[in-house]
Amino acid sequence: MSSDLIIDVSPSEIVIALLENKRLAELSREKSGAKFAVGDIYLGKVKKIMPSLNAAFIDVGYEKDAFLHYLDLGPQFSTMNKFLRMSSAKNSKITSINRIQSEPDIDKEGKINDVLKAGQKILVQIAKEPISSKGPRLTSEISLAGRNMVLLPFSDKVSVSQKIRSNEEKIRLKKLVQSIRPRNYGVIVRTAAEDKKVAELDQEIRRLVERWDSSIAKLKRLNGPALVMGEMDRTTAFLRDIYHTQFNSIIVNDTAMADEIADYLESIDPDKRKLVKIYKGRAPIFEYYGVEKQIKASFGKTVSFRNGAYLIIEHTEAFHVIDVNSGNRAKTGLDQENSALEVNLAACEEIARQLRLRDMGGIIVIDFIDMHQAGNRHKVYEYMKELMGADRTKHNILPLSKFCLMQITRQRVRPEEHIETAEVCPMCKGSGKVTPTILFADELDTKVLYVFKDLNKNKLTLKVHPFVEAYLTKGFPSIRMKWFMKYYKWVKVESNPAFSLTEYNLLDENKELIII
């Protein structure tokens, strides 16, 4: 399976599209300056203890207090708390967790008010981003993710990914990591570490430890709530988790981002730096590579997948519902049972893709087409498990019920990716009434006059629908030529098929949007 990463960098956000065999598989957005992302480590303050929930609310600087359950404190909480007290002291010379003695693990059946007090400082990590009306979900079991392993400060355990099938390789990696890990650090060996040599793993452990030590050195200067260590930007983190040897290309429309990605790739696989390519075309990068069209086709309420069959996807506050429909599909030679089986198996492929693409989390209920034979229901269940094996997010799948309902739980750590694909009528703006389209050209002429004369801009880029672009640039003399002869300034006209007929954007010489 070939994979390509298309990255659209704009001043407000970075959008990452993963294509598998040229088909959109995942979409991730990162707002510029985004805070409280999964993996960020904060110095927080205990705001309120909730004994009835065996949990506490922690102030980490977000508008709503974050939630921390007792079970998320981690067994080594006492050791971490001891280190935090000692390292925060003004005269303390402790800068590494190697120099402290580990405390006994906390009781698994303990109570939150036995270990936390209101006003207490606490080191926490974002486990779930703020979703809807909820604040972040926290954990005190700190972890630092690398390409081949995850470093666990204050721990002493070493475990190996279950996705590594060879028992000999698991034993080799566990012994190897146990011999090189520093004192008071645990390690989870990731699937990517399979067949890696000791020098490469040792280098990564050292790099993660250095990153941790440099971050906690700031604790003396922090009073909280404050950010101690930010997770790497989502682009690099996304690449860290999905990169494999079958990657064809990583295409980005920003030089600085391309250099950053190339440097990261070189650190994990020096020969793969050449995979990074800079896009310099005139058309938007997603439009050029067909991503925009796939987004519009994949995020609606109704999603077609094969021979007229389609899914209807509904979202509620409590769970998601997916209904499988055969549509007008008909195939000779198949009875109703076999036809239902074929549609359901094909639906599994699209559903597995949609869960990743939309990052749907929580409870998902799928209503498959009725099948009366238990063997066929089992085939659908096994096929869905096989397809979901490629999903990195933790999930659990239950067998189909007698009524062909399947339940899936999928971990939710970020808000679901939602893109509105239905468009408001470009003529009436949803009001049912339209303005005279004959005046549209006059409206554009007025805007151009305002930009050149009142705002005194020397350059102007006008983005419009392709039909309007042709109207402005074709013919002799064209409207654009008339503007040039009138103002002695050139208007660059670009088309964008994603725009509605009368939609347009005005950009200055710095490609910044002019709002009038």
Side-chain angles (χ1 to χ4, degrees):
M1 178 180 64
S2 64
S3 299
D4 300 275
L5 211 59
I6 313 295
I7 304 173
D8 181 16
V9 181
S10 66
S12 60
E13 66 177 357
I14 299 171
V15 187
I16 312 158
L18 172 64
L19 304 183
E20 294 179 348
N21 296 330
K22 305 300 180 183
R23 195 168 182 229
L24 184 63
E26 292 189 40
L27 192 70
S28 177
R29 293 175 183 270
E30 179 184 10
K31 295 288 184 182
S32 298
K35 297 180 179 179
F36 306 102
V38 173
D40 289 350
I41 299 174
Y42 282 83
L43 178 63
K45 282 188 176 180
V46 179
K47 198 74 175 287
K48 186 186 295 184
I49 303 293
M50 303 293 290
S52 60
L53 299 175
N54 204 18
F57 285 100
I58 312 296
D59 180 11
V60 291
Y62 186 65
E63 57 190 33
K64 293 190 175 182
D65 291 334
F67 183 80
L68 176 66
H69 194 273
Y70 179 85
L71 296 178
D72 293 321
L73 290 174
Q76 301 83 28
F77 180 77
S78 297
T79 305
M80 186 196 73
N81 206 28
K82 175 183 177 181
F83 173 77
L84 183 60
R85 290 196 311 270
M86 296 175 68
S87 61
S88 299
K90 291 184 179 180
N91 298 325
S92 174
K93 296 182 180 180
I94 294 179
T95 57
S96 172
I97 65 176
N98 292 331
R99 302 177 61 181
I100 65 169
Q101 189 67 34
S102 296
E103 296 290 315
D105 290 354
I106 62 173
D107 184 7
K108 290 182 180 180
E109 306 295 329
K111 301 297 181 183
I112 191 79
N113 46 4
D114 293 335
V115 291
L116 290 180
K117 305 296 179 187
Q120 177 181 339
K121 290 183 182 180
I122 183 173
L123 207 58
V124 290
Q125 187 168 29
I126 306 294
K128 290 185 180 180
E129 294 179 8
I131 298 174
S132 186
S133 60
K134 300 176 182 178
R137 178 75 182 256
L138 305 177
T139 177
S140 281
E141 202 162 7
I142 307 297
S143 63
L144 282 73
R147 169 64 184 162
N148 299 304
M149 60 191 69
V150 178
L151 189 70
L152 305 173
F154 310 107
S155 177
D156 59 358
K157 69 177 182 180
V158 174
S159 58
V160 181
S161 168
Q162 294 301 313
K163 291 184 179 180
I164 298 177
R165 297 182 179 180
S166 169
N167 287 328
E168 291 78 8
E169 179 64 7
K170 286 182 181 179
I171 295 171
R172 182 189 77 89
L173 286 170
K174 189 166 186 175
K175 288 183 177 179
L176 190 155
V177 171
Q178 283 176 332
S179 67
I180 61 175
R181 71 174 179 89
R183 182 173 175 268
N184 286 342
Y185 287 98
V187 174
I188 300 174
V189 182
R190 306 183 72 174
T191 310
E194 190 170 9
D195 298 325
K196 291 291 192 298
K197 295 181 179 179
V198 61
E200 187 174 349
L201 299 179
D202 184 59
Q203 184 181 19
E204 182 165 305
I205 285 182
R206 291 176 183 272
R207 188 164 59 244
L208 291 172
V209 170
E210 287 175 6
R211 185 172 172 229
W212 166 256
D213 286 343
S214 63
S215 296
I216 61 174
K218 300 184 294 185
L219 288 175
K220 287 184 182 180
R221 305 191 300 270
L222 299 177
N223 191 35
L227 178 67
V228 176
M229 180 193 302
E231 169 69 301
M232 63 176 66
D233 67 84
R234 189 170 293 184
T235 308
T236 312
F238 190 75
L239 184 61
R240 176 194 67 201
D241 293 338
I242 67 171
Y243 175 76
H244 54 76
T245 56
Q246 294 179 331
F247 253 80
N248 285 346
S249 60
I250 299 171
I251 305 167
V252 59
N253 60 355
D254 181 80
T255 303
M257 177 63 72
D259 291 340
E260 183 180 329
I261 293 172
D263 291 342
Y264 175 74
L265 277 182
E266 191 172 38
S267 69
I268 61 175
D269 196 343
D271 295 334
K272 298 300 182 180
R273 187 183 181 95
K274 60 185 178 182
L275 291 180
V276 182
K277 300 170 184 176
I278 301 175
Y279 173 75
K280 296 182 178 179
R282 293 184 59 186
I285 186 170
F286 276 7
E287 179 190 331
Y288 182 82
Y289 288 100
V291 176
E292 189 70 34
K293 186 176 181 181
Q294 291 197 53
I295 289 174
K296 293 291 185 182
S298 301
F299 277 89
K301 175 180 176 181
T302 302
V303 180
S304 300
F305 59 91
R306 188 180 298 178
N307 298 330
Y310 61 94
L311 306 175
I312 295 179
I313 303 176
E314 294 276 9
H315 308 282
T316 72
E317 188 69 25
F319 57 91
H320 311 275
V321 180
I322 302 176
D323 185 28
V324 180
N325 295 272
S326 59
N328 58 4
R329 178 189 178 281
K331 196 166 186 179
T332 57
L334 289 179
D335 58 28
Q336 183 178 351
E337 182 77 9
N338 289 331
S339 179
L341 175 62
E342 184 174 311
V343 173
N344 287 338
L345 291 174
C348 288
E349 298 175 9
E350 184 60 31
I351 291 168
R353 171 176 172 260
Q354 286 289 331
L355 296 184
R356 292 174 62 196
L357 187 58
R358 303 187 188 212
D359 202 9
M360 294 163 64
I363 301 172
I364 301 107
V365 177
I366 305 166
D367 182 9
F368 285 101
I369 299 173
D370 286 348
M371 296 177 295
H372 301 292
Q373 297 180 18
N376 288 338
R377 294 197 292 269
H378 186 70
K379 285 180 182 178
V380 172
Y381 168 63
E382 291 295 331
Y383 192 47
M384 179 61 83
K385 285 205 303 182
E386 179 186 338
L387 293 169
M388 290 290 286
D391 194 336
R392 303 186 311 277
T393 304
K394 292 180 181 178
H395 59 270
N396 186 36
I397 305 172
L398 297 182
L400 276 72
S401 71
K402 180 181 177 180
F403 303 106
C404 280
L405 295 176
M406 175 185 284
Q407 297 178 62
I408 298 177
T409 57
R410 190 173 183 271
Q411 187 180 30
R412 179 168 61 176
V413 296
R414 295 185 179 92
E416 178 193 347
E417 188 66 46
H418 177 73
I419 297 175
E420 186 59 62
T421 57
E423 297 178 355
V424 176
C425 171
M427 311 308 291
C428 71
K429 307 294 190 224
S431 68
K433 297 179 180 180
V434 300
T435 55
T437 53
I438 196 172
L439 300 179
F440 182 59
D442 294 338
E443 181 182 344
L444 289 179
D445 191 60
T446 303
K447 301 294 186 184
V448 172
L449 169 65
Y450 180 80
V451 169
F452 284 150
K453 295 297 184 181
D454 293 9
L455 298 183
N456 199 27
K457 299 288 186 181
N458 293 317
K459 292 183 180 180
L460 174 64
T461 299
L462 178 61
K463 290 191 173 184
V464 291
H465 187 276
F467 290 172
V468 179
E469 186 261 347
Y471 173 74
L472 296 175
T473 59
K474 305 301 180 185
F476 186 81
S478 66
I479 292 178
R480 178 171 60 176
M481 185 61 69
K482 290 178 181 178
W483 285 338
F484 178 73
M485 292 187 293
K486 186 176 180 180
Y487 306 115
Y488 296 103
K489 295 177 181 178
W490 188 250
V491 178
K492 184 179 180 182
V493 182
E494 296 180 355
S495 67
N496 189 338
F499 279 15
S500 60
L501 190 61
T502 56
E503 184 180 0
Y504 61 91
N505 279 340
L506 300 167
L507 306 175
D508 62 15
E509 57 267 24
N510 298 318
K511 296 295 183 183
E512 293 183 357
L513 185 66
I514 300 173
I515 300 175
I516 301 176

